[in-house]
Amino acid sequence: MLSSRHLLGLDGMPAAEITLLLDTARSFREILDRPIKRVPTLQGKTVVNLFYEPSTRTRISFELAEKRMSADIVNFSASTSSVKKGETLIDTVKNIEAMKIDMVVVRHSSPGAAHLLSRVLDANIINAGDGGHEHPTQALLDMFTIRQKLGELEGKTICLVGDIAHSRVALSNIFGLKALGARVLVCGPSTLIPREIEKLGVEVYHNIDEVIPQTDVLNILRIQLERQESGLFPSLREYHNYFGITRERLERADKEVVIMHPGPMNRGLEISSDVADSGHSVILEQVTNGIAIRMAVLFLLAGGKSEIQ
Ligand code: CP
C-alpha cells in the first residue's frame, strides 16, 4: 500500500513504496507484451488528464495506461479550454471535479501545482511534471529501466548529465535513486548545477570524461534551448564539445555504459545520433516502460490490492 492518496513527488517517499511501485509495474509490463493489452482494473473510474504544458511521451503514456486498464478518460488541454478566457486553475479543476471524476493527472509550468490541487480536490492527484520541481513518473520509469537492464539499484552508479538546475527529471531521479541506495553523480557546467546540491547526497563533476569510466548509466538531460538566451553557457557548440555524449567519447573511455534520455532529445547537442540510436541506448525502452509505471501508479493510488489479471 502507498501511504499517500496522491503521487506528488519522490521527495521523502520510503524505499519500500518506491520498490512496491517498481515491482507492481513489472506485472503490468508483461501485459503490454500480450496480444490483447487490456485489463479491467480501473473499470468505473474516471481519469482526467489535465495538461497545461506541451507533452508527447507523458501525455500519451498516461492515456494508454488508462485505456489499458479500462478507465474512462477525459483529456483536457489548457490551450483549447476556458483557461483562454481567464479561468483560474482552481476554478477549472473544481468545475471538472463537479462532473464526478476520480483521478487527475496534471502537468503545469508552476512548481507546486499538483500539491495545490491535492489540497482542494477529493480526487487522487498525480504529478506529471510541475515546472522545475518534480516529475515522479519519469524518474520511476528511469529506475524501472535501469533495474531491467542492470538488476537492483543499490550500489549502481548513475550520472545525470546536463541541465540539473532546471530539471524536474533530475530532482525526482535524485530522490528516488538515493532512496534505493544508488550512487548518484551529476555532471554539467557550474551554471547548470544548483549550489549545495551535494546536500542531497550526490557527487558533482564538471568533466564528463572523468565520469564515464566510473558510471554504469548516463542519463542525459535535455538542454533547454529556451534558456540559452540567459547565457548559462557560451554557445551550443561549446556545450557539445565539453558535455555532448558522442561515440568517440564513449570509445575513449572504453566502458560499457547504459545510455538514457527522458526526451525530447536535441540530437547533435547533448547526445549524438549514433549514441542515441546505438545498442547501448535504452531510450525507447524507457518510453515503453513508462506505460507500465503509470499503470502501476494508477492501480496503487486507486487502492489496488487485487491480483492484476
Ligand atoms: N519525458 C517527458 O516528460 O517528455 P514529454 O514532455 O514529451 O512528456
Side-chain angles (χ1 to χ4, degrees):
M1 285 277 285
L2 298 178
S3 53
S4 172
R5 296 179 50 242
H6 311 291
L7 178 67
L8 305 178
L10 298 191
D11 188 8
M13 184 179 276
E17 293 191 19
I18 296 175
T19 303
L20 173 66
L21 281 160
L22 298 178
D23 289 346
T24 307
R26 198 181 290 158
S27 308
F28 284 116
R29 180 65 188 79
E30 284 164 24
I31 292 170
L32 299 180
D33 289 330
R34 292 183 191 166
I36 296 172
K37 305 168 182 54
R38 205 177 182 92
V39 287
T41 325
L42 286 187
Q43 214 156 37
K45 297 275 184 196
T46 303
V47 188
V48 178
N49 299 311
L50 195 70
F51 277 70
Y52 277 75
E53 259 195 347
S55 167
T56 298
R57 281 146 289 269
T58 312
R59 184 178 179 141
I60 294 175
S61 180
F62 266 113
E63 189 172 340
L64 279 174
E66 293 149 10
K67 285 185 167 152
R68 301 288 183 242
M69 300 173 85
S70 310
D72 294 320
I73 302 167
V74 179
N75 288 317
F76 168 94
S77 174
S79 59
T80 53
S81 73
S82 290
V83 170
K84 286 282 167 204
K85 300 174 199 161
E87 192 165 31
T88 66
L89 173 62
I90 301 285
D91 279 339
T92 301
V93 293
K94 284 201 169 243
N95 276 272
I96 292 172
E97 191 174 54
M99 299 184 217
K100 308 290 178 197
I101 52 102
D102 301 293
M103 307 178 102
V104 175
V105 175
V106 59
R107 169 169 287 194
H108 201 282
S109 57
S110 296
H115 285 75
L116 178 64
L117 298 195
S118 72
R119 288 199 292 274
V120 299
L121 298 184
D122 288 330
N124 305 100
I125 308 298
I126 301 163
N127 183 2
D130 61 331
H133 180 224
E134 283 224 42
H135 193 348
T137 57
Q138 178 67 47
L140 288 166
L141 75 88
D142 290 346
M143 287 189 277
F144 182 94
T145 307
I146 298 169
R147 230 180 170 209
Q148 192 181 47
K149 203 77 191 161
L150 302 176
E152 289 307 322
L153 285 154
E154 182 152 19
K156 301 290 183 308
T157 302
I158 290 97
C159 181
L160 299 155
V161 187
D163 187 355
I164 312 297
H166 304 102
S167 173
R168 54 196 177 203
V169 175
L171 200 52
S172 289
N173 261 279
I174 291 169
F175 291 136
L177 289 166
K178 289 301 299 177
L180 292 199
R183 177 182 173 218
V184 182
L185 320 179
V186 295
C187 182
S190 50
T191 48
L192 295 181
I193 307 257
R195 270 199 232 179
E196 305 199 19
I197 195 165
E198 293 93 338
K199 287 189 176 160
L200 297 180
V202 305
E203 298 166 43
V204 177
Y205 288 83
H206 301 295
N207 181 345
I208 191 68
D209 296 306
E210 207 183 312
V211 161
I212 296 171
Q214 52 174 315
T215 195
D216 299 304
V217 177
L218 287 172
N219 195 347
I220 304 156
L221 304 174
R222 179 174 79 92
I223 287 298
Q224 303 187 21
L225 293 171
E226 58 274 25
R227 301 193 193 281
Q228 171 56 13
E229 278 172 19
S230 50
L232 290 171
F233 49 89
S235 71
L236 299 180
R237 182 192 293 255
E238 188 156 311
Y239 182 86
H240 179 72
N241 287 344
Y242 280 96
F243 296 99
I245 305 301
T246 60
R247 186 161 51 89
E248 295 72 29
R249 186 157 252 148
L250 293 174
E251 280 173 1
R252 231 178 11 247
D254 194 24
K255 170 86 170 35
E256 292 249 319
V257 179
V258 176
I259 300 294
M260 304 178 73
H261 194 304
M265 285 185 277
N266 297 303
R267 287 172 180 264
L269 177 52
E270 69 264 8
I271 186 168
S272 67
S273 273
D274 48 11
V275 172
D277 302 328
S278 72
H280 297 294
S281 164
V282 293
I283 294 169
L284 293 178
E285 287 163 57
Q286 286 173 264
V287 177
T288 308
N289 293 338
I291 303 174
I293 280 292
R294 287 162 181 136
M295 289 171 86
V297 168
L298 292 160
F299 173 73
L300 291 170
L301 290 182
K305 279 175 279 191
S306 60
E307 284 295 300
I308 300 161
Q309 293 164 31

